[in-house]
């Protein structure tokens, strides 16, 4: 024990902070506050704890694309690297507001109108706004509690046809029911590259689904998928409709494939780990194990014993 | 310690080894509690005498060596490691033989192929109150590169730990306290559905007062078999079922939406 205590005292504050950060960043959807409470108790060092929390929460909030309501309830802002203006400021293009966020409390403290430099040109805004309207319709149909937003990731100052630009669609749906020991989240990121010369829009999607069930145990689902598609470069309204159709199609397909993965579990996948019942469909003859030593002796005598 | 166990309940089960070593370095004063309360994936070593693999755990460890149940030798060799009494060692040998067959019985299509499906080890030692403790370990690697017969798993493991405390025999009966944990991880991966990983661990207890007429091994075996099928069913139906339910809550399958549309 004394040896181990020595090694522990050699753990620098920096190492302790890295460990704390690792636990925080690996928190399941919606559980970072609980993890923070426990890591604080384990660390027993407020300074290290505060440093870890200050670094981990912004990363976690952006990776999990958490949604925060504006104080005046005018809408929600998604915290993500696409909406980030600076460390504590996140843009909501729909309401043209910038939210000031407290990462550790996970709340939006106040909001200000976005500057002109923070918003796309009116040419881009036409595409963005049309796509946003279609995506809102789709998300309200497909997700009982989904939040979505469309950002301009590249070329926001393009003012007329002739140049490339890129929009990004984020869809984030989370469900937290700690009273049922269950949390989960669905996150989609869709990159739409409008290629002016080729007159096509290239679509890249990244979907991530997580779920955690922890009543008397700890079971987690971690599923990821990436896909690609494309459509022709048309008017803002036509693009919005065809891009939303592409997203709907791929997300529906992916949900179906998740269902298939689940329904394959009992019959095939799980059987490779442990059968429900032996092939003979009878329980093991514990009361008569003598038979095994006999067969084994015979096999040994015949030189048949498997040689592993 | 409570907070440490709280963290272990939330960390992704596939990272439990990293999490445990992190906690051990933060809380060295609790290392023995952590090692006994946190289950971690089982490791194996090869017995130099018999060539068979055996499983490592806290119960066959002394310093940095582990005792093999096949040759009863420590790996790497150790001068003064503890051994079970001659009587318990006899039971241990028998338990290892039978348990190896039990594992094949569950994993194999045919009964005549030993040691193909998974690895098992049983360790038995005296405890303070005139009884003994037995630890039954099973490790199965179901990946398509290992023992997975159907080849549908990119990665998959089933690690089971059963610890039974057996009380002294009184009036031809003994008290058996079984604590079982299963750790499981499975990943499938293909172009159309991406990577799909489910991992988890659960722990349960079972206490029984049984007649020793048919022997300790028979009683312990029956309890373990019953417990294993309970654990497998809860993982399959409750735990996996709950995560599936969560996915369908987040984004209900389209049939449901279509059915709802006329109303809205």
């Amino acid at each position: 024990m004394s040896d181990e205590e020595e090694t522990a005292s050699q753990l620098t504050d920096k190492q302790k902070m890295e460990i704390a950060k690792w636990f925080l960043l690996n928190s399941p959807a919606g559980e970072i506050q609980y993890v923070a409470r426990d890591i604080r108790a384990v660390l027993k060092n407020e300074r290290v704890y505060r440093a870890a929390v200050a670094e981990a929460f912004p990363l976690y909030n952006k990776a999990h694309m958490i949604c925060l309501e504006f104080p005046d309830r005018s809408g929600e802002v998604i915290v993500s690297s696409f909406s980030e203006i600076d460390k504590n400021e996140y843009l909501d293009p729909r309401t043209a507001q910038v939210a000031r966020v407290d990462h550790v409390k996970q709340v939006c403290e106040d909001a200000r109108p976005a500057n002109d430099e923070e918003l796309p040109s009116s040419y881009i805004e036409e595409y963005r706004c049309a796509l946003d309207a279609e995506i809102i319709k789709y998300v309200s149909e497909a997700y009982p509690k989904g939040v979505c937003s469309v950002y301009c990731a590249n070329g926001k100052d393009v003012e007329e046809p002739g140049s490339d630009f890129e929009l990004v669609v984020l869809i984030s749906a989370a469900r937290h029911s700690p009273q049922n020991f269950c949390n989960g989240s669905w996150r989609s990121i869709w990159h739409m590259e409008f290629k002016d010369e080729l007159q096509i829009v290239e679509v890249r999607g990244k979907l991530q689904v997580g779920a955690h069930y922890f009543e008397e145990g700890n079971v987690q689902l971690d599923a990821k998928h990436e896909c690609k598609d494309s459509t022709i470069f048309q008017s803002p309204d036509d693009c919005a409709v065809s891009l939303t159709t592409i997203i709907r199609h791929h997300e529906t397909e992916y949900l179906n494939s998740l269902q298939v993965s689940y329904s394959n579990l009992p019959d095939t996948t799980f059987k490779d780990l442990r059968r429900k019942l032996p092939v003979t469909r009878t329980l093991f003859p514990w009361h008569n194990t003598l038979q095994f030593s006999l067969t084994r002796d015979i096999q040994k005598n015949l030189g048949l014993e498997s040689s592993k | 310690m409570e907070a440490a166990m709280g963290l272990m309940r939330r960390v992704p089960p596939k990272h439990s080894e990293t999490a445990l070593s992190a906690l051990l370095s933060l809380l060295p004063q609790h290392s023995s509690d952590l090692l006994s309360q946190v289950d971690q994936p089982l490791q194996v070593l090869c017995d130099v005498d018999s060539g068979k693999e055996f499983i490592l755990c806290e119960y066959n460890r002394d310093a940095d060596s582990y005792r093999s149940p096949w040759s009863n030798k420590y790996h790497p060799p150790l001068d003064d490691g503890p051994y079970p009494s001659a009587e318990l060692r006899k039971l241990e040998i028998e338990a290892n033989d039978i348990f190896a067959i039990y594992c094949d019985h569950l994993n194999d299509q045919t009964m005549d192929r030993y040691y193909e499906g998974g690895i098992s080890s049983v360790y038995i030692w005296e405890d303070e109150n005139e009884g003994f403790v037995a630890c039954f370990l099973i490790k199965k690697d179901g990946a398509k590169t290992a023992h997975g017969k159907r080849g549908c798993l990119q990665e998959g493991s089933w690690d089971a730990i059963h610890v039974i405390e057996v009380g002294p025999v009184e009036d031809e009966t003994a008290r058996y306290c079984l604590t079982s944990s299963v750790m499981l991880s499975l990943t499938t991966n293909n172009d159309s559905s991406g990577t799909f990983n489910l991992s988890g661990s659960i722990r349960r207890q079972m206490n029984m007062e049984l007649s020793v007429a048919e022997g300790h091994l028979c009683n312990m075996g029956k309890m373990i078999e019953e417990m294993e099928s309970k654990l497998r069913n809860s993982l399959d139906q409750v735990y996996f079922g709950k995560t599936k339910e969560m996915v369908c809550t987040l984004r209900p399958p389209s049939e449901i939406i279509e059915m709802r549309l006329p109303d809205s």
Side-chain angles (χ1 to χ4, degrees):
Chain A
M1 191 63 103
S2 61
D3 285 359
E4 288 172 34
E5 265 164 18
E6 272 170 36
T7 26
S9 61
Q10 283 163 9
L11 266 190
T12 60
D13 282 0
K14 173 101 179 92
Q15 284 168 316
K16 285 185 191 166
M17 197 201 75
E18 288 301 325
I19 292 176
K21 243 178 89 179
W22 182 85
F23 275 105
L24 290 165
L25 290 176
N26 277 290
S27 311
E31 295 179 36
I32 192 169
Q33 298 290 2
Y34 301 94
V35 172
R37 190 192 57 200
D38 286 338
I39 200 79
R40 186 180 208 163
V42 168
L43 281 174
K44 295 196 197 79
N45 181 332
E46 278 302 298
R47 204 170 47 79
V48 171
Y49 167 74
R50 273 199 225 103
V53 158
E55 284 193 28
F57 268 79
L59 295 173
Y60 176 91
N61 290 341
K62 285 192 276 179
H64 282 259
M65 309 198 315
I66 65 160
C67 306
L68 305 176
E69 199 166 14
F70 286 113
D72 65 358
R73 301 183 177 271
S74 57
E76 282 182 292
V77 63
I78 301 181
V79 177
S80 76
S81 53
F82 303 101
S83 56
E84 186 172 24
I85 286 177
D86 75 30
K87 205 177 166 219
N88 299 314
E89 289 198 319
Y90 295 84
L91 173 71
D92 175 41
R94 194 175 301 146
T95 58
Q97 288 185 97
V98 174
R100 199 160 56 78
V101 164
D102 183 320
H103 278 291
V104 178
K105 289 189 190 145
Q106 297 185 310
V107 291
C108 167
E109 296 202 303
D110 66 64
R112 62 163 171 86
N115 302 329
D116 282 349
E117 312 84 81
E118 289 158 352
L119 296 171
S121 69
S122 60
Y123 168 67
I124 301 291
E125 181 59 17
E126 239 186 295
Y127 280 90
R128 196 207 63 78
C129 188
L131 183 55
D132 195 35
E134 285 299 315
I135 296 288
I136 292 174
K137 254 192 271 170
Y138 158 64
V139 168
S140 69
E141 282 167 21
Y143 296 86
K145 280 193 171 172
V147 177
C148 58
S149 195
V150 183
Y151 307 93
C152 178
N154 272 310
K156 73 178 174 61
D157 299 324
V158 172
E159 286 186 2
E160 54 186 28
S163 302
D164 295 352
F165 61 94
E166 181 182 355
L167 298 181
V168 172
V169 176
L170 300 187
I171 300 172
S172 175
R175 190 64 76 116
H176 306 142
S177 41
Q179 70 281 9
N180 298 321
F181 307 99
C182 208
N183 295 308
S185 78
W186 174 300
R187 287 165 265 167
S188 325
I189 302 174
W190 292 94
H191 291 266
M192 315 288 183
E193 284 184 71
F194 290 74
K195 307 254 180 178
D196 189 82
E197 202 174 316
L198 301 169
Q199 285 294 300
I200 59 163
V201 184
E202 283 182 359
V203 180
R204 273 183 299 130
K206 240 170 134 176
L207 309 168
Q208 193 170 354
V209 184
H212 183 206
Y213 183 66
F214 50 98
E215 185 173 23
E216 290 186 79
N218 174 5
V219 173
Q220 302 194 14
L221 164 75
D222 177 18
K224 290 184 188 94
H225 181 49
E226 293 191 16
C227 51
K228 276 184 181 171
D229 210 326
S230 65
T231 184
I232 34 171
F233 200 148
Q234 311 155 73
S235 73
D237 287 345
D238 290 343
C239 271
V241 171
S242 57
L243 290 172
T244 305
T245 307
I246 287 176
I247 292 179
R248 178 186 283 118
H249 167 75
H250 284 285
E251 292 194 344
T252 309
E253 289 276 286
Y254 181 52
L255 183 74
N256 290 342
S257 83
L258 284 177
Q259 309 261 72
V260 171
S261 296
Y262 269 113
S263 55
N264 281 342
L265 280 178
D267 293 336
T268 57
T269 326
F270 213 165
K271 253 191 201 165
D272 264 1
L273 292 176
R274 188 191 185 277
R275 302 182 58 87
K276 213 177 230 163
L277 272 179
V279 180
T280 51
R281 302 207 164 266
T282 51
L283 293 177
F284 192 74
W286 293 101
H287 52 277
N288 181 22
T289 45
L290 194 64
Q291 53 169 324
F292 296 121
S293 16
L294 290 176
T295 33
R296 179 116 85 155
D297 285 344
I298 296 166
Q299 288 193 325
K300 216 180 242 169
N301 294 337
L302 296 171
L304 291 173
E305 195 182 47
S306 70
S307 51
K308 185 166 179 193
Chain B
M1 199 49 214
E2 207 179 299
M5 294 311 288
L7 289 173
M8 290 308 300
R9 269 202 324 158
R10 301 190 190 274
V11 78
K14 58 184 171 190
H15 297 320
S16 64
E17 277 171 289
T18 317
L20 178 63
S21 62
L23 286 175
L24 285 171
S25 62
L26 285 176
L27 300 167
Q29 70 277 23
H30 289 297
S31 61
S32 58
D33 286 344
L34 283 168
L35 287 170
S36 63
Q37 288 183 41
V38 177
D39 296 311
Q40 47 182 332
L42 300 169
Q43 308 292 327
V44 294
L45 254 182
C46 190
D47 184 316
V48 282
D49 282 14
S50 66
K52 290 184 203 163
E53 288 175 303
F54 65 99
I55 301 176
L56 316 183
C57 69
E58 277 303 286
Y59 308 114
N60 63 333
R61 180 178 74 89
D62 194 59
D64 293 324
S65 292
Y66 294 88
R67 185 172 61 87
S68 161
W70 314 117
S71 63
N72 204 23
K73 287 183 182 161
Y74 277 91
H75 293 66
L78 195 69
D79 289 338
D80 52 353
Y83 292 92
S85 68
E87 196 193 344
L88 283 183
R89 174 61 189 155
K90 199 171 152 250
L91 184 62
E92 190 181 76
I93 293 173
E94 198 188 346
N96 273 289
D97 284 348
I98 301 299
F99 213 61
I101 301 166
Y102 164 76
C103 292
D104 284 354
H105 190 67
L106 286 162
N107 288 319
D108 265 358
Q109 300 285 331
T110 50
M111 294 278 287
D112 56 351
R113 283 197 253 153
Y114 293 121
Y115 307 114
E116 200 187 333
I119 302 164
S120 65
S121 295
V122 183
Y123 303 103
I124 300 181
W125 64 98
E126 286 86 9
D127 77 350
E128 302 95 49
N129 17 329
E130 294 170 57
F132 64 90
V133 188
C135 174
F136 295 75
L137 304 157
I138 304 173
K139 183 175 183 65
K140 172 83 195 272
D141 184 343
K144 59 185 173 194
T145 49
H147 301 301
K149 288 198 121 100
R150 294 161 195 83
C152 38
L153 288 171
Q154 190 72 26
E155 172 267 332
S157 64
W158 165 283
D159 290 1
I161 303 172
H162 306 281
V163 178
I164 302 194
E165 289 170 47
V166 183
V169 178
E170 281 168 19
D171 301 331
E172 294 301 298
T173 63
R175 185 167 174 74
Y176 298 83
C177 302
L178 168 65
T179 304
S180 298
S181 322
V182 167
M183 281 154 287
L184 176 132
S185 173
L186 50 91
T187 307
T188 57
N189 192 348
N190 63 53
D191 290 345
S192 66
S193 58
T195 47
F196 177 87
N197 169 266
L198 269 171
S199 60
S201 66
I202 55 175
R203 188 186 267 219
R204 293 284 186 280
Q205 284 195 325
M206 182 195 275
N207 295 316
M208 279 178 139
E209 201 89 46
L210 295 169
S211 153
V212 294
E214 294 195 274
H216 285 309
L217 192 54
C218 176
N219 290 339
M220 295 192 291
K222 282 181 180 165
M223 280 177 80
I224 289 174
E225 186 168 18
E226 188 185 334
M227 179 67 105
E228 285 212 316
S229 70
K230 274 189 186 159
L231 290 172
R232 189 194 190 279
N233 282 347
S234 1
L235 273 170
D236 189 3
Q237 284 159 24
V238 183
Y239 288 82
F240 294 173
K242 288 283 181 185
T243 62
K244 182 184 181 186
E245 230 173 75
M246 176 52 78
V247 173
C248 294
T249 314
L250 292 167
R251 193 184 189 288
S254 45
E255 301 86 57
I256 297 177
I257 297 167
E258 278 159 23
M259 275 158 48
R260 273 187 196 154
L261 273 180
D263 298 336
S264 59

